[in-house]
Amino acid sequence: MGGRHRHARPASADDLLSQLGRLTARVREEVEVQRARVELAEALQRGMLPSTLPTAPGLRVAARYAPARNGLDIGGDWYDGFRLSDGTLGFSVGDVQGHDVEAAAYMGQVRIALRAVAAMGTTDPGEILHTANELLAATDNPLFATCVFLRFDPYTWSVHTARAGHTGAVWARADGVCGVVDHPPEEIGLPLAVMEGQTYTVTEYRFTLPGALALLTDGVVEGPRFPLEEGLAQVARVLRDGVREDPEVLADRVMEVAEQTGHTDDAAVLVLSYDGPEACQTSDAASGVV
């Protein structure tokens, strides 16, 4: 025996408008939550970056940070600088894997770990990275961070650097020579917090002529418009062409390279401008002279 089929009543315009209103409210709520997370991440990020950086006679320092263009990739990059126990200066730039509030908070942990290790009297960049790595790897946080740590000696004008999976420093001299401080692949340690027991090789060189050096994150030099190598070359040219400029000006010009890459990540740069001591202005051709 056949049954009578009930046909659903067509949705009225009021029903459709009501449903659309509910969907719109839900989307608006999700957007507001995401915006709040981004604003919190940016506040954390900027709040944890140092308000001042150390200097020395003949050395001037400037730094810049730019949040991600799309507002979703903020939180992982940092720069820092502080005086070490022996009177030398320590500088670091790094990038936490991941984004948003969690990355911003973890960035603060990494910076604190580096400062805490240095406060114990360690001044060797390789030892600082090694001990910080042991502390961070022992936690259960799944994030990790790349980092470069630089120690500047204002008495000898020598520089020691160590890298934990991070981009090398870019430099230029007043005589027009420029380049990237290169480490052989085997001397670039793993990022911090990936694995315990890591060692980090230290590279030493000296500032023998006036010049500039930039520590930076890959958001400055790598993006969809050109690869890392081209970005590094552009930064080297910026430093070479403006080697006599104030570091604040140089930092702005380096950040302009980030705009050219079409990057979506956040970006950080720290620029050291140095006059070069008279005692080191020689024709010394030894390895490691910059």
Side-chain angles (χ1 to χ4, degrees):
M1 184 171 66
R4 181 175 297 174
H5 295 283
R6 291 180 176 272
H7 295 283
R9 180 175 61 85
S12 68
D14 287 343
D15 291 335
L16 292 174
L17 288 174
S18 178
Q19 184 177 3
L20 179 60
R22 288 193 297 272
L23 291 172
T24 301
R26 185 182 305 170
V27 170
R28 184 182 296 114
E29 182 179 346
E30 292 175 353
V31 169
E32 289 299 325
V33 169
Q34 180 59 39
R35 180 180 296 122
R37 288 179 64 86
V38 169
E39 290 176 354
L40 175 58
E42 185 168 356
L44 281 171
Q45 176 84 5
R46 294 195 181 280
M48 287 186 286
L49 293 176
S51 57
T52 61
L53 293 165
T55 61
L59 178 74
R60 293 154 293 147
V61 185
R64 294 289 185 274
Y65 168 77
R69 280 185 171 184
N70 61 13
L72 300 177
D73 292 339
I74 192 171
D77 289 15
W78 84 85
Y79 61 82
D80 200 6
F82 49 92
R83 197 168 298 275
L84 300 174
S85 60
D86 61 354
T88 60
L89 309 181
F91 297 98
S92 70
V93 164
D95 183 2
V96 172
Q97 171 267 335
H99 303 101
D100 208 343
V101 179
E102 291 79 9
Y106 190 66
M107 177 272 289
Q109 294 180 37
V110 176
R111 283 189 59 236
I112 290 171
L114 292 169
R115 281 180 172 250
V117 171
M120 294 188 295
T122 305
T123 61
D124 179 87
E127 285 298 317
I128 290 173
L129 291 184
H130 166 75
T131 306
N133 178 68
E134 297 301 291
L135 293 172
L136 295 166
T139 69
D140 58 0
N141 197 313
L143 298 178
F144 60 85
T146 65
C147 175
V148 56
F149 195 95
L150 180 149
R151 174 181 177 265
F152 169 72
D153 188 332
Y155 310 107
T156 64
W157 284 74
S158 63
V159 171
H160 295 77
T161 63
R163 292 165 59 186
H166 199 76
T167 304
V170 184
W171 58 271
R173 295 191 319 217
D175 60 359
V177 180
C178 59
V180 179
V181 177
D182 225 352
H183 295 71
E186 64 273 13
E187 293 185 3
I188 303 174
L190 290 176
L192 301 178
V194 170
M195 184 184 300
E196 295 182 37
Q198 292 299 299
T199 59
Y200 298 91
T201 301
V202 176
T203 297
E204 179 183 3
Y205 53 97
R206 289 187 296 115
F207 292 151
T208 59
L209 292 172
L213 181 144
L215 305 177
L216 38 79
T217 59
D218 58 6
V220 178
V221 290
E222 187 174 28
R225 293 180 188 156
F226 50 73
L228 176 66
E229 292 75 16
E230 184 175 341
L232 290 170
Q234 286 208 32
V235 171
R237 289 192 290 270
V238 167
L239 296 183
R240 179 198 64 196
D241 295 344
V243 71
R244 299 285 189 178
E245 297 276 7
D246 185 86
E248 298 287 346
V249 174
L250 276 179
D252 286 335
R253 290 180 182 170
V254 171
M255 289 303 289
E256 290 175 1
V257 176
E259 296 299 314
Q260 298 168 19
T261 68
H263 75 99
T264 57
D265 201 356
D266 50 348
V269 61
L270 190 151
V271 174
L272 309 180
S273 292
Y274 43 92
D275 297 335
E278 290 289 333
C280 289
Q281 293 185 10
T282 68
S283 58
D284 188 351
S287 175
V289 172
V290 173

